[in-house]
Amino acid sequence: MRPIVKEIGKVYGEANRDAQIRRYRAAEVKFAEHFGELGEHRFFSVPGRTEICGNHTEKNNGKSFAASVTADAVAVVEPTDDGFVTIKSEGFDEDRININELDPREDEKNTSAALIRGVLKGFEKSRNSIGGFRAYTTSSVKRGSGLASSAAFAVLVGTIISHLFNDGEISPVRIAQAAQFAENEYFGRASGLLDHLACAHGGFIAVDFKDDNIPVVEGVRYDMANSEHALCIVNTAGEEDDHSAKYKTIAEEMREVAGFFDCRTLRSLSLPDIMLNIGVLRKAVGDRAVLRAIHFFNENERVDKIVHALKNDDFENFLYSVRESGDSSFKYLQNIYTESDFKHQSLTLALNIAENTLWRRGACRVHGSGFSGTLQAFVPLDTLTEFKMNMERVFGGGSCKVLSVRQTGGCEIIIE
């Protein structure tokens, strides 16, 4: 494949070109301040992601729909011949990884060093070239924002390695797989592949996970500017605990239903299989598992409907399916709040405020994997000021981020 190299105005829009140039120039200064000098260098960018439909279907070989967003992580990068990857990220300590010492380390769990080491190992395992470099990074994909900050960082490392040492020819899918490997095996988070694919690929994407090893990714071209809607992500400051065990339980309960039919995952079945056997299934696996299985099949259909709607410039039906997906996540998947802390339901409250503000327009839903309190909304532009004001009055200033969909995934940036 051809290297993905973009002029800065093509990535951020000509209206934002000057502001972004200043951002990259400021990062150059920070690089020089930290490392003492700045020689021949290059620029890279990777967007955050938003999940739109297909909530918790991936690990049962289902279908998902996501998009990259205009918030991104960027890097100023200089190749080195010292055998180390050295990265200084704004607001964090420097990480320095020996490219010849890539075994996982227990003391690096949940750190950026683990992600760097894991991505390097992932490429080494697939016989891609790796090498040393030093970088300064800064990001508008903040931790806790619900935009997959760790996935964006891991994909950024992978994108740099692809361009510096592999002529930019490693595919977005392969970069995403190396980034997921790093998160699963080194960072210690059992994340699926969707987040990394959306960051690496760019734009709207539909992903079919029928084959665990070879996901089918379809880019869906649609310009959000035509929709007269903004994408809002609201951080409701819900609990910040690690919900990995809850996510795992969702996949396991779906597989329990599949196992009743001697199948590995739900993808081998259909909704009529569930409905015709619902009485005995309730006794065998419980009501919640049955409800989550029903959610799985309906989500797969909704992903197809969303793709069809956007391909036909039908944003109203896109919004209808997003609302349906959010409703299903709340009622059937049940990943909005934790039963152990039912007194605190910031996301449920946010959904109520959003629905009352939008008044049957736009769409709102749980964002991402759930439980932790992030809301996604597609908001008509004529309601955006009111929506942002209502959210921030309850959840604090800056809690509502106004974004859009970015067409370019991980790439090298050219500043002229």
Side-chain angles (χ1 to χ4, degrees), residues 305-332:
K305 290 177 182 178
I306 277 180
V307 170
H308 183 268
L310 290 185
K311 284 183 175 180
N312 288 276
D313 197 22
D314 186 354
F315 201 70
E316 282 304 313
N317 267 321
F318 165 84
L319 293 173
Y320 181 83
S321 291
V322 173
R323 288 193 292 267
E324 274 195 334
S325 178
D327 190 47
S328 180
S329 290
F330 200 137
K331 292 193 298 188
Y332 307 131

Side-chain angles (χ1 to χ4, degrees), residues 16 51 96 121 138 143 150 156 190 201 250 279 353 360:
N16 300 311
E51 180 188 310
R96 184 171 169 83
K121 183 64 175 181
T138 181
R143 288 186 177 182
S150 59
L156 179 62
H201 192 279
I250 291 174
I353 296 168
R360 299 178 182 175

Side-chain angles (χ1 to χ4, degrees), residues 3 6 20 46-47 50 62 89 105 115 122 133 183 223 225 247 252 263 269 273 277 284 346-347 362 387 390 410:
K6 297 284 187 178
Q20 289 296 331
V46 166
T50 183
S89 295
R105 297 186 178 183
L115 293 173
F133 64 88
E183 279 215 69
D223 187 351
Y247 306 150
E252 287 175 345
C263 295
L269 302 168
D273 292 323
N277 294 278
S346 61
L347 179 53
F387 183 90
N390 287 348

Side-chain angles (χ1 to χ4, degrees), residues 118-130 161 166 170 174-175 177-178 181:
V119 171
L120 287 164
K121 183 64 175 181
F123 282 137
E124 183 184 72
K125 282 166 61 70
S126 59
R127 298 185 179 180
N128 295 114
S129 298
I130 61 174
I161 294 169
N166 297 273
I170 303 178
R174 181 68 204 104
I175 291 172
Q177 288 172 330
F181 170 80

